[in-house]
Amino acid sequence: MARQTPVKTKGSKLDEAALFFHRYPIPGKLEIQPTKPLGNQRDLALAYSPGVAAPCIAIRDDPRTAAEYTSRANLVGVVSNGSAVLGLGNIGPLASKPVMEGKAVLFKKFAGINVFDIEIDAPGVDGMVETIAALEPTFGGINLEDIKAPECFEVEERLKARMSIPVFHDDQHGTAIIVAAAILNGLELAGKDIAEVKIVTSGAGAAALACLNLLVSLGAKVENIWITDRFGVAYRGRAEEMDRWKEPYLKDTDARALTEVIGGADVFLGLSAGGVLKPEMLKEMTERPLIMALANPIPEIMPELAREARPDAMICTGRSDYPNQVNNVLCFPHIFRGALDVGATAINEEMKLAAVRAIAALAREEPSDVAARAYSGEIPIFGPDFLIPSPFDPRLILRIAPAVARAAMESGAATRPIEDMDAYLDRLNRFVFRSGLVMKPVFSAAKQAGRKRVIYADGEDERVLRAAQVVLEEELAEPILIGRPQVVDVRLRRYGLKIKPGKDFEIINPEDDPRYRGYVDLLIHIAGRRGVTTEVARTLVRTNTTVIAALAMMRDEADAMICGLEGRFERHLRHVDTIIGRRPGVNDLSALSMLVAQQGATFFTDTHVTLDPSAAEIAEMTVLAAEEIRRFGIEPKAALLSHSDFGSRDSPSALKMREAVAILHDTAPGLVADGEMHGDSALSETLRQRVFPHAGLDGEANLLVFPNLDAANITLTTVKAMTDALHVGPILLGTARPAHILTPSVTSRGVVNMTALAAVEALQNQNRMPVVQGEAPAQGATRA
């Protein structure tokens, strides 16, 4: 359940996209980056010979100092022989490398843990054990991956006995921890005692047996557990595929099939194959049964079939398109985070149980502001459709890692106990908002927004066409493309895209659309008093796709718009400002840009609109930017930048930023903001404390506010080029309806990101006063 395997179809769209993703811009998903400066000869002398001798000697004299002088304490080896790759089987070590690289990416993104993926040509138990055990000096922990049963049991057992670092077979224990948490919560809702319930499995491999062993640790009775596999019921005396790990669960019984033992079951645990659990079997289970149908991509029974047969059932799957997804990423990064942070010698039973209880408890927590941000405003409530948290809930690491660390310390597995748990929690909290996963809450909310209609002015552009396919596949929005149908059709075939105009998405033909006269009349009504004559309106509606998109928005034919892939930003801005206008109370538009780099997300404003804003305009754009940043689940910390550092200069620009800070403190006292300050002061608390220890800003600023457009745009584009950061935006702020003007440098990925954001804004825009069709925008459009 650690990853969802797509249905294999020859030349499928997902296959093609995945091959492209893995190949470009450079092959693979990982690279090594130095963590120390190497800019001169002295740096090199410290990093290597002769300076490197000092830490080598220190570690020789005291091996514990390896955690202080090397990356070992934050380095995990993901090791596989490729003998049981999920959904692919025994494909061998080399073919498994993309999967192991993927695992490494998850470790890094979700918990900040570095990984070397190691694929070994060792099909036998002895070869695997000897090879992996020899790696102990390199790593702080070992994650075994995709090793077939029963060899995986013995490999892990022998390695745990030999090695003094955590060895964790995620296919077994990661799945078991999530399953156990779901079962605990399901039984609580059903009012059942784990010691009394009957559990029946379909599948008796590594994951299933690990689940059962952990459930027994939580109080389930062995005599109440029945296991079945492809050879039927596991009974005493059976010869097929028996081993010592199944032995505790064998029964003296004449039953031979799943249908014969499912009666009276409270829990069905499926880790086998699609379709093996029939609707009629569910009718033999007890009241409020718990169905864990975890086969991928097709569960043992589809949730809709299960719900039809048993409306009272609680259902979990391994799929992301149904509630209660059992996904190993819920736990394994965070378990290793806690284990590494205390220098654990193992991930023992106490640590696993602590993780189970932490996950189960998180699902039962009262909704909070953090939860609202994690779930993008739709806060799930503990119940049959919410037994376990979302894999992308940022609170997971804040609950699981400390719980695991405490259990390691209490059980004696910790070699470096945490002395200040509050400081540790604060460090984890800072990581959550620097992990680079800032777009995930937005994508999650877009999927929940009910397929908002997003109109693309540049519907013939390759990037829009590719983005439209992704948007449809991910169910982020309902795309509407403006373009000539014959051109769109030719380009879709040229790029190998499968979506069809008129079937998968609506298309507006600027050369021949029945709404042409209605668009012209509306444009005259809105802008006729601003120099737009009837002839100009006709020409614009025939030739300017941004104008068409904006008018479609005003006629409620779309919920959000995206334009700007061709042409100058100012031209698009003029049309958007004229037709759509500004939100009530907003005096001017501004643009916010986000850069997502390895160390996290940083926002820049105003990067594209106002050349030289006044102090009042800077204060307003800062408030609008802060509102937008909260959509990402991030609490804004604004630094108003200047060449002056807390009063070191009194130039007009510095005085303007100083005044803007005063306005913010008066009009938005809840916003963390300070200035005027240098850029390095904004990003370094240590430096800021030296300059002005009383600054009203803690930690690093994540919103950088600039005194003028030159400073903002130059900084954005320079930092983007130097860091190879992902750019999201520009995000146009202050419009009456969601409208975003991208830039010609945007990628198809950037279009997808902005589509998701536009869909979320459209959902939230429903709660604001709508712009009535035919009326001019509430705020004057000065750029007309």
Side-chain angles (χ1 to χ4, degrees), residues 238-398:
R238 198 183 87 176
E240 299 89 353
E241 286 193 1
M242 299 305 294
D243 54 58
R244 63 186 174 93
W245 291 279
K246 295 177 185 173
E247 183 69 29
Y249 301 105
L250 300 184
K251 296 291 186 291
D252 293 314
T253 179
D254 294 329
R256 294 294 182 265
L258 176 61
T259 55
E260 298 176 63
V261 297
I262 194 70
D266 300 279
V267 178
F268 170 81
L269 175 58
L271 286 150
S272 55
V276 302
L277 184 64
K278 307 302 180 185
E280 56 269 23
M281 296 184 194
L282 295 185
K283 296 177 182 179
E284 302 298 321
M285 298 181 71
T286 60
E287 291 184 2
R288 303 197 75 181
L290 180 57
I291 312 300
M292 310 286 295
L294 306 182
N296 253 330
I298 307 299
E300 285 79 3
I301 187 169
M302 294 301 292
E304 50 267 28
L305 286 178
R307 187 75 67 200
E308 183 179 347
R310 290 297 301 266
D312 62 334
M314 293 171 280
I315 306 164
C316 298
T317 71
R319 293 171 53 137
S320 61
D321 52 347
Y322 290 99
N324 294 323
Q325 183 195 12
V326 175
N327 188 326
N328 289 14
V329 81
L330 266 164
C331 70
F332 74 80
H334 317 309
I335 289 172
F336 268 97
R337 181 73 279 156
L340 292 174
D341 289 341
V342 295
T345 56
I347 295 176
N348 56 32
E349 201 71 6
E350 292 87 349
M351 295 159 73
K352 289 186 286 183
L353 293 174
V356 171
R357 295 187 176 104
I359 294 167
L362 178 56
R364 298 193 300 267
E365 280 191 21
E366 291 294 321
S368 64
D369 291 341
V370 174
R373 293 197 294 267
Y375 293 93
S376 305
E378 291 209 14
I379 308 175
I381 303 299
F382 177 55
D385 289 332
F386 190 69
L387 298 176
I388 45 178
S390 162
F392 298 97
D393 190 325
R395 296 171 296 171
L396 283 165
I397 193 171
L398 304 177

Side-chain angles (χ1 to χ4, degrees), residues 172-495:
Q172 293 182 57
H173 308 300
T175 303
I177 288 166
I178 309 305
V179 165
I183 289 177
L184 282 185
N185 281 343
L187 294 180
E188 178 174 315
L189 286 174
K192 298 178 180 180
D193 184 348
I194 192 171
E196 304 298 329
V197 298
K198 178 180 178 181
I199 301 170
V200 176
T201 78
S202 174
L209 292 175
C211 290
L212 297 178
N213 293 339
L214 193 56
L215 290 172
V216 170
S217 295
L218 287 165
K221 302 298 185 186
V222 172
E223 56 266 27
N224 295 336
I225 297 173
W226 295 72
I227 61 175
T228 70
D229 56 20
R230 61 190 179 126
F231 293 104
V233 175
Y235 60 91
R236 294 194 188 281
R238 198 183 87 176
E240 299 89 353
E241 286 193 1
M242 299 305 294
D243 54 58
R244 63 186 174 93
W245 291 279
K246 295 177 185 173
E247 183 69 29
Y249 301 105
L250 300 184
K251 296 291 186 291
D252 293 314
T253 179
D254 294 329
R256 294 294 182 265
L258 176 61
T259 55
E260 298 176 63
V261 297
I262 194 70
D266 300 279
V267 178
F268 170 81
L269 175 58
L271 286 150
S272 55
V276 302
L277 184 64
K278 307 302 180 185
E280 56 269 23
M281 296 184 194
L282 295 185
K283 296 177 182 179
E284 302 298 321
M285 298 181 71
T286 60
E287 291 184 2
R288 303 197 75 181
L290 180 57
I291 312 300
M292 310 286 295
L294 306 182
N296 253 330
I298 307 299
E300 285 79 3
I301 187 169
M302 294 301 292
E304 50 267 28
L305 286 178
R307 187 75 67 200
E308 183 179 347
R310 290 297 301 266
D312 62 334
M314 293 171 280
I315 306 164
C316 298
T317 71
R319 293 171 53 137
S320 61
D321 52 347
Y322 290 99
N324 294 323
Q325 183 195 12
V326 175
N327 188 326
N328 289 14
V329 81
L330 266 164
C331 70
F332 74 80
H334 317 309
I335 289 172
F336 268 97
R337 181 73 279 156
L340 292 174
D341 289 341
V342 295
T345 56
I347 295 176
N348 56 32
E349 201 71 6
E350 292 87 349
M351 295 159 73
K352 289 186 286 183
L353 293 174
V356 171
R357 295 187 176 104
I359 294 167
L362 178 56
R364 298 193 300 267
E365 280 191 21
E366 291 294 321
S368 64
D369 291 341
V370 174
R373 293 197 294 267
Y375 293 93
S376 305
E378 291 209 14
I379 308 175
I381 303 299
F382 177 55
D385 289 332
F386 190 69
L387 298 176
I388 45 178
S390 162
F392 298 97
D393 190 325
R395 296 171 296 171
L396 283 165
I397 193 171
L398 304 177
R399 303 294 187 273
I400 299 173
V404 169
R406 287 191 186 96
M409 292 188 288
E410 291 168 2
S411 64
T415 62
R416 297 191 307 276
I418 295 171
E419 296 181 0
D420 187 341
M421 190 58 71
D422 289 338
Y424 178 61
L425 288 169
D426 183 61
R427 181 157 58 95
L428 291 176
N429 196 61
R430 289 200 304 273
F431 167 77
V432 166
F433 298 107
R434 294 180 58 180
S435 63
L437 293 169
V438 291
M439 284 304 298
K440 190 60 195 178
V442 175
F443 274 72
S444 177
K447 291 182 179 182
Q448 299 170 18
R451 298 281 293 259
K452 292 300 178 185
R453 301 162 299 168
V454 177
I455 189 167
Y456 302 85
D458 304 287
E460 298 176 1
D461 192 285
E462 176 185 358
R463 293 164 292 179
V464 168
L465 294 173
R466 292 190 181 279
Q469 176 155 310
V470 174
V471 165
L472 285 165
E473 289 174 355
E474 297 293 324
E475 299 183 348
L476 298 175
E478 182 181 320
I480 302 170
L481 273 58
I482 300 176
R484 295 162 293 178
Q486 67 274 20
V487 173
V488 170
D489 191 57
V490 168
R491 292 183 178 178
L492 286 171
R493 291 199 302 271
R494 180 192 304 166
Y495 306 139

Side-chain angles (χ1 to χ4, degrees), residues 604-676:
F604 301 72
T605 199
D606 166 21
T607 54
H608 286 82
V609 178
T610 306
L611 288 173
D612 189 15
S614 66
E617 288 171 327
I618 288 170
E620 179 182 74
M621 70 175 63
T622 303
V623 171
L624 290 173
E627 176 186 311
E628 191 71 27
I629 291 169
R630 291 189 180 100
R631 281 192 224 277
F632 295 89
I634 298 173
E635 193 58 35
K637 295 182 179 182
L640 278 68
L641 304 184
S642 172
H643 66 280
S644 171
D645 205 14
F646 294 105
S648 63
R649 301 281 292 275
D650 286 327
S651 66
S653 172
L655 293 174
K656 178 176 70 173
M657 299 306 281
R658 204 175 302 167
E659 182 184 353
V661 171
I663 294 172
L664 283 172
H665 288 168
D666 183 49
T667 60
L671 175 63
V672 177
D674 210 340
E676 80 285 8

Side-chain angles (χ1 to χ4, degrees), residues 106-118:
L106 295 178
F107 267 109
K108 186 66 175 179
K109 283 295 182 183
F110 283 92
I113 295 171
N114 298 317
V115 166
F116 289 154
D117 63 292
I118 300 178

